Amino acid sequence: MEKTFLMVKPDGVQRNLIGEIVARFEKKGFQLVGAKLMSIPKELAEEHYGEHKERPFFGELVDFITSGPVFAMVWQGENVIATARQMMGSTNPKDAAPGTIRGDFGLTVGKNVIHGSDAPTSAEREIGLFFKDTGLVEYSKLVNEWVY
Ligand code: DAT
Ligand code: MG
């Protein structure tokens, strides 16, 4: 089953949005297989956002993502990578449709509430970075017979 890495960013944690965000993915039918509240060390932040190293906002991005605890998660389900991106909405909340997480809860690109892997390769890479030590929880849910 496909897996993706999702993370409530420090602004989402401070604004008490963990439960709201978890609820959306649960209700959709996806299955939570890993989760932890954590502070991101600077080196992990720089590696996680490595693709943006040369961008002018890189320093700001690393400072923000390390500015407070995040809620890191792994979710699984059919087409979860692309569907979670749709549920998150556009990167810049001003362009994100109402009904999406960023559309409903964000105002600026710098504080856009949630991260989600954008492709199978990045999902695998990011799950490895954040859950290498913790591992994931494999379990079956009877409700899946009614989801699939
Ligand atoms: P996404 O988080 O939708 O995958 P991304 O990978 O292009 O978006 O960028 C990573 C994060 O960097 C994004 O969530 C917010 C920040 N960011 C992106 N573009 C930015 C910009 N032009 N100015 C400031 N921050 C930006
Ligand atoms: Mg991205």
Side-chain angles (χ1 to χ4, degrees), residues 121-136:
T121 47
S122 50
E124 196 182 332
R125 188 180 78 86
E126 292 167 5
I127 291 167
L129 279 177
F130 281 85
F131 285 86
K132 183 174 43 168
D133 304 330
T134 326
L136 301 177

PDB file of all heavy atoms in Angstrom, residues 121-136:
ATOM      1  N   THR A 121       9.215   9.010  -4.725  1.00  0.00           N
ATOM      2  CA  THR A 121      10.627   9.051  -4.319  1.00  0.00           C
ATOM      3  C   THR A 121      10.816   9.930  -3.080  1.00  0.00           C
ATOM      4  O   THR A 121      11.557   9.562  -2.161  1.00  0.00           O
ATOM      5  CB  THR A 121      11.522   9.584  -5.456  1.00  0.00           C
ATOM      6  OG1 THR A 121      10.914  10.766  -5.992  1.00  0.00           O
ATOM      7  CG2 THR A 121      11.706   8.564  -6.548  1.00  0.00           C
ATOM      8  N   SER A 122      10.122  11.091  -3.047  1.00  0.00           N
ATOM      9  CA  SER A 122      10.288  11.966  -1.877  1.00  0.00           C
ATOM     10  C   SER A 122       9.608  11.358  -0.661  1.00  0.00           C
ATOM     11  O   SER A 122      10.097  11.492   0.468  1.00  0.00           O
ATOM     12  CB  SER A 122       9.797  13.387  -2.154  1.00  0.00           C
ATOM     13  OG  SER A 122       8.516  13.399  -2.696  1.00  0.00           O
ATOM     14  N   ALA A 123       8.492  10.657  -0.856  1.00  0.00           N
ATOM     15  CA  ALA A 123       7.822  10.004   0.275  1.00  0.00           C
ATOM     16  C   ALA A 123       8.764   8.991   0.920  1.00  0.00           C
ATOM     17  O   ALA A 123       8.936   8.975   2.147  1.00  0.00           O
ATOM     18  CB  ALA A 123       6.537   9.323  -0.195  1.00  0.00           C
ATOM     19  N   GLU A 124       9.404   8.183   0.107  1.00  0.00           N
ATOM     20  CA  GLU A 124      10.302   7.160   0.637  1.00  0.00           C
ATOM     21  C   GLU A 124      11.487   7.813   1.359  1.00  0.00           C
ATOM     22  O   GLU A 124      11.889   7.395   2.451  1.00  0.00           O
ATOM     23  CB  GLU A 124      10.787   6.271  -0.507  1.00  0.00           C
ATOM     24  CG  GLU A 124      11.396   4.981  -0.020  1.00  0.00           C
ATOM     25  CD  GLU A 124      11.915   4.123  -1.174  1.00  0.00           C
ATOM     26  OE1 GLU A 124      11.374   4.220  -2.298  1.00  0.00           O
ATOM     27  OE2 GLU A 124      12.877   3.371  -0.938  1.00  0.00           O
ATOM     28  N   ARG A 125      12.012   8.856   0.741  1.00  0.00           N
ATOM     29  CA  ARG A 125      13.158   9.566   1.324  1.00  0.00           C
ATOM     30  C   ARG A 125      12.779  10.203   2.675  1.00  0.00           C
ATOM     31  O   ARG A 125      13.490  10.069   3.667  1.00  0.00           O
ATOM     32  CB  ARG A 125      13.634  10.654   0.352  1.00  0.00           C
ATOM     33  CG  ARG A 125      14.927  11.341   0.734  1.00  0.00           C
ATOM     34  CD  ARG A 125      15.310  12.404  -0.287  1.00  0.00           C
ATOM     35  NE  ARG A 125      14.555  13.630  -0.127  1.00  0.00           N
ATOM     36  CZ  ARG A 125      14.889  14.613   0.703  1.00  0.00           C
ATOM     37  NH1 ARG A 125      15.971  14.522   1.441  1.00  0.00           N
ATOM     38  NH2 ARG A 125      14.138  15.693   0.796  1.00  0.00           N
ATOM     39  N   GLU A 126      11.632  10.864   2.712  1.00  0.00           N
ATOM     40  CA  GLU A 126      11.228  11.604   3.917  1.00  0.00           C
ATOM     41  C   GLU A 126      10.813  10.650   5.041  1.00  0.00           C
ATOM     42  O   GLU A 126      11.107  10.889   6.211  1.00  0.00           O
ATOM     43  CB  GLU A 126      10.108  12.587   3.559  1.00  0.00           C
ATOM     44  CG  GLU A 126      10.628  13.706   2.658  1.00  0.00           C
ATOM     45  CD  GLU A 126       9.529  14.545   1.999  1.00  0.00           C
ATOM     46  OE1 GLU A 126       8.335  14.336   2.296  1.00  0.00           O
ATOM     47  OE2 GLU A 126       9.888  15.421   1.182  1.00  0.00           O
ATOM     48  N   ILE A 127      10.133   9.547   4.712  1.00  0.00           N
ATOM     49  CA  ILE A 127       9.784   8.542   5.726  1.00  0.00           C
ATOM     50  C   ILE A 127      11.077   7.990   6.328  1.00  0.00           C
ATOM     51  O   ILE A 127      11.202   7.829   7.544  1.00  0.00           O
ATOM     52  CB  ILE A 127       8.911   7.423   5.131  1.00  0.00           C
ATOM     53  CG1 ILE A 127       7.527   7.978   4.781  1.00  0.00           C
ATOM     54  CG2 ILE A 127       8.779   6.249   6.104  1.00  0.00           C
ATOM     55  CD1 ILE A 127       6.674   7.046   3.909  1.00  0.00           C
ATOM     56  N   GLY A 128      12.050   7.751   5.470  1.00  0.00           N
ATOM     57  CA  GLY A 128      13.347   7.253   5.944  1.00  0.00           C
ATOM     58  C   GLY A 128      14.018   8.243   6.880  1.00  0.00           C
ATOM     59  O   GLY A 128      14.574   7.869   7.916  1.00  0.00           O
ATOM     60  N   LEU A 129      13.959   9.525   6.533  1.00  0.00           N
ATOM     61  CA  LEU A 129      14.601  10.560   7.359  1.00  0.00           C
ATOM     62  C   LEU A 129      13.952  10.673   8.735  1.00  0.00           C
ATOM     63  O   LEU A 129      14.636  10.791   9.746  1.00  0.00           O
ATOM     64  CB  LEU A 129      14.500  11.928   6.667  1.00  0.00           C
ATOM     65  CG  LEU A 129      15.488  12.270   5.563  1.00  0.00           C
ATOM     66  CD1 LEU A 129      15.152  13.637   4.966  1.00  0.00           C
ATOM     67  CD2 LEU A 129      16.906  12.267   6.103  1.00  0.00           C
ATOM     68  N   PHE A 130      12.632  10.653   8.775  1.00  0.00           N
ATOM     69  CA  PHE A 130      11.931  10.959  10.024  1.00  0.00           C
ATOM     70  C   PHE A 130      11.572   9.724  10.852  1.00  0.00           C
ATOM     71  O   PHE A 130      11.349   9.842  12.048  1.00  0.00           O
ATOM     72  CB  PHE A 130      10.654  11.765   9.719  1.00  0.00           C
ATOM     73  CG  PHE A 130      10.916  13.215   9.447  1.00  0.00           C
ATOM     74  CD1 PHE A 130      11.274  13.637   8.177  1.00  0.00           C
ATOM     75  CD2 PHE A 130      10.833  14.149  10.464  1.00  0.00           C
ATOM     76  CE1 PHE A 130      11.529  14.978   7.929  1.00  0.00           C
ATOM     77  CE2 PHE A 130      11.083  15.479  10.221  1.00  0.00           C
ATOM     78  CZ  PHE A 130      11.442  15.902   8.941  1.00  0.00           C
ATOM     79  N   PHE A 131      11.466   8.555  10.231  1.00  0.00           N
ATOM     80  CA  PHE A 131      11.014   7.375  10.975  1.00  0.00           C
ATOM     81  C   PHE A 131      12.026   6.229  10.942  1.00  0.00           C
ATOM     82  O   PHE A 131      11.672   5.090  11.214  1.00  0.00           O
ATOM     83  CB  PHE A 131       9.633   6.920  10.472  1.00  0.00           C
ATOM     84  CG  PHE A 131       8.524   7.831  10.953  1.00  0.00           C
ATOM     85  CD1 PHE A 131       8.188   8.980  10.250  1.00  0.00           C
ATOM     86  CD2 PHE A 131       7.840   7.561  12.129  1.00  0.00           C
ATOM     87  CE1 PHE A 131       7.191   9.840  10.709  1.00  0.00           C
ATOM     88  CE2 PHE A 131       6.842   8.413  12.595  1.00  0.00           C
ATOM     89  CZ  PHE A 131       6.517   9.553  11.887  1.00  0.00           C
ATOM     90  N   LYS A 132      13.280   6.589  10.642  1.00  0.00           N
ATOM     91  CA  LYS A 132      14.344   5.578  10.587  1.00  0.00           C
ATOM     92  C   LYS A 132      14.470   4.856  11.920  1.00  0.00           C
ATOM     93  O   LYS A 132      14.518   3.630  11.991  1.00  0.00           O
ATOM     94  CB  LYS A 132      15.662   6.266  10.211  1.00  0.00           C
ATOM     95  CG  LYS A 132      16.845   5.329  10.043  1.00  0.00           C
ATOM     96  CD  LYS A 132      18.061   6.100   9.532  1.00  0.00           C
ATOM     97  CE  LYS A 132      18.187   7.399  10.259  1.00  0.00           C
ATOM     98  NZ  LYS A 132      19.365   8.176  10.156  1.00  0.00           N
ATOM     99  N   ASP A 133      14.490   5.632  13.017  1.00  0.00           N
ATOM    100  CA  ASP A 133      14.690   5.040  14.343  1.00  0.00           C
ATOM    101  C   ASP A 133      13.388   4.497  14.926  1.00  0.00           C
ATOM    102  O   ASP A 133      13.389   3.502  15.646  1.00  0.00           O
ATOM    103  CB  ASP A 133      15.259   6.088  15.310  1.00  0.00           C
ATOM    104  CG  ASP A 133      16.550   6.684  14.774  1.00  0.00           C
ATOM    105  OD1 ASP A 133      17.272   5.965  14.053  1.00  0.00           O
ATOM    106  OD2 ASP A 133      16.819   7.867  15.057  1.00  0.00           O
ATOM    107  N   THR A 134      12.286   5.170  14.628  1.00  0.00           N
ATOM    108  CA  THR A 134      10.999   4.842  15.232  1.00  0.00           C
ATOM    109  C   THR A 134      10.345   3.629  14.576  1.00  0.00           C
ATOM    110  O   THR A 134       9.684   2.839  15.243  1.00  0.00           O
ATOM    111  CB  THR A 134      10.036   6.041  15.068  1.00  0.00           C
ATOM    112  OG1 THR A 134      10.793   7.240  15.147  1.00  0.00           O
ATOM    113  CG2 THR A 134       8.961   6.021  16.107  1.00  0.00           C
ATOM    114  N   GLY A 135      10.489   3.504  13.268  1.00  0.00           N
ATOM    115  CA  GLY A 135       9.782   2.466  12.532  1.00  0.00           C
ATOM    116  C   GLY A 135       8.317   2.806  12.357  1.00  0.00           C
ATOM    117  O   GLY A 135       7.834   3.814  12.875  1.00  0.00           O
ATOM    118  N   LEU A 136       7.627   1.979  11.605  1.00  0.00           N
ATOM    119  CA  LEU A 136       6.198   2.177  11.348  1.00  0.00           C
ATOM    120  C   LEU A 136       5.430   1.048  11.997  1.00  0.00           C
ATOM    121  O   LEU A 136       6.000   0.030  12.377  1.00  0.00           O
ATOM    122  CB  LEU A 136       5.942   2.207   9.839  1.00  0.00           C
ATOM    123  CG  LEU A 136       6.706   3.298   9.075  1.00  0.00           C
ATOM    124  CD1 LEU A 136       6.424   3.190   7.583  1.00  0.00           C
ATOM    125  CD2 LEU A 136       6.363   4.690   9.598  1.00  0.00           C
TER     126      LEU A 136
END
